[in-house]
Amino acid sequence: MATQTPAEAMRQAGEHWLANCAPHAKSVHRRWEAGKLAAVPSGRHWDVVEAPLVRSIEIMPQIRVGALGPVLACARSGRAWWLVPLEAAEQCDDIPDVTVLPSGTPLLCPPPLRALDGRTWLVRPDGSGQLTDSLMLGAAFGPGGLAEAW
């Protein structure tokens, strides 16, 4: 029996976690196996904050280790989607250039270790369930953060 590499273990854990955030995990896995994006709705396990991609990349270092969760990016649209704790997205409602997506919004996701259709994970789901701290995200984008100086 072959020993699993750490990267393979992370891939499997991240895929399992993300697929199980959808109502039908098997459907998510089938889409990924077919080389397609899978729709995983927000509002069951996490909420989504949408932001400009370039600004998102710039502020990522401002968020401390242990407070940074999965971040999905799309180079084509120039957008990024931050996975944050349920109802915690309210803390980002009044931040310019940041949109809190309504609960139930489907997020079109590639598998954690592969890019598809211009989408890739800047911070990959690793199976731990770690989400981005919305207070830190709001502070990074808000007044005095990098977003204001941009």
Side-chain angles (χ1 to χ4, degrees):
M1 187 162 125
T3 303
Q4 206 176 43
T5 67
E8 179 66 15
M10 185 184 92
R11 180 193 64 79
Q12 286 183 351
E15 283 185 9
H16 178 75
W17 177 81
L18 187 58
N20 282 304
C21 288
H24 305 287
K26 288 182 182 180
S27 173
V28 170
H29 286 290
R30 280 195 297 271
R31 294 218 26 109
W32 288 340
E33 289 165 7
K36 297 178 181 178
L37 297 171
V40 181
S42 64
R44 287 185 68 204
H45 299 276
W46 34 260
D47 280 335
V48 177
V49 173
E50 182 178 0
L53 176 58
V54 172
R55 288 184 183 173
S56 293
I57 292 168
E58 293 289 337
I59 69 154
M60 285 175 69
Q62 292 183 20
I63 300 177
R64 68 176 162 70
V65 175
L68 183 62
V71 181
L72 179 62
C74 180
R76 292 179 186 162
S77 68
R79 306 303 293 166
W81 299 273
W82 299 74
L83 277 56
V84 298
L86 291 172
E87 300 179 18
E90 297 169 1
Q91 297 155 349
C92 298
D93 269 344
D94 297 327
I95 306 296
D97 295 327
V98 170
T99 303
V100 179
L101 300 182
S103 182
T105 300
L107 189 61
L108 297 176
C109 302
L113 292 180
R114 191 172 66 175
L116 285 174
D117 294 333
R119 291 183 181 227
T120 192
W121 291 96
L122 297 177
V123 179
R124 296 176 175 107
D126 61 6
S128 71
Q130 175 67 45
L131 300 169
T132 297
D133 181 300
S134 55
L135 284 173
M136 292 192 81
L137 183 63
F141 271 106
L146 187 60
E148 182 176 89
W150 183 261

